[in-house]
Structures are given as C-alpha cells and as structure tokens.
Amino acid sequence: AKDRAQPVFVIFAANRVDRLPPELLRAGRLDARWVLLPPNAAGRETILGLHLRRRGVDPARFPELGLLAAGLEGYTGAELEQIV
C-alpha cells in the first residue's frame, strides 16, 4: 500500500476454517492458504522419540512406541509432547 513505509505481512491460523465468516475468505482477501495436517503414524513416533530424548530417555527402551503412535491418530506435535 502506498500509505505505508514498509510492507505488511499478516499470518493467521484457525482450527475450524469452515466456521470463519465468508467475507474473510472471499477472493482477493488472502494471497495464500496452507493446510497443515496432524502427523501420520511414523511422524508421531518420531515426535514421541524426539521428546523422550529431550528428557534424557532412550526411545529404544520403549519397543511399543510405534504401537502407541499408531493409536494417537489426530494428535498434534504439541499434544504428543504433553503425553511424554
């Protein structure tokens, strides 16, 4: 915009995009839109292992970690950290 000395870059996040007002999402309002999905089973296992290591625990001590990760479908990385 001509009335600003610096460009403006705005980022927002929403868990329920389907509940946002349509005027916010109309054409020309947003330059880009990204969808970030929760991690898959392998990703969840990696995240659990990472947070175990950060706490000084060897993930190899938990051979059932993959089974646990498989049962946590839909969990985010932050939720997985809280589980650890």
Side-chain angles (χ1 to χ4, degrees), residues 1 8 13-14 19 24-25 27 29 32 35-36 42 52 59 65 73 75 77 80 83-84:
V8 175
R19 298 187 73 185
L24 185 64
L25 300 174
R29 187 69 65 162
V35 176
L36 302 177
L52 285 168
L65 199 57
E73 185 175 349
Y75 281 67
L80 295 169
I83 289 170
V84 171

Side-chain angles (χ1 to χ4, degrees), residues 52-71:
L52 285 168
R53 278 190 292 283
R54 284 186 177 173
R55 288 159 179 80
V57 178
D58 182 4
R61 291 182 47 205
F62 301 94
E64 68 281 355
L65 199 57
L67 182 61
L68 174 64

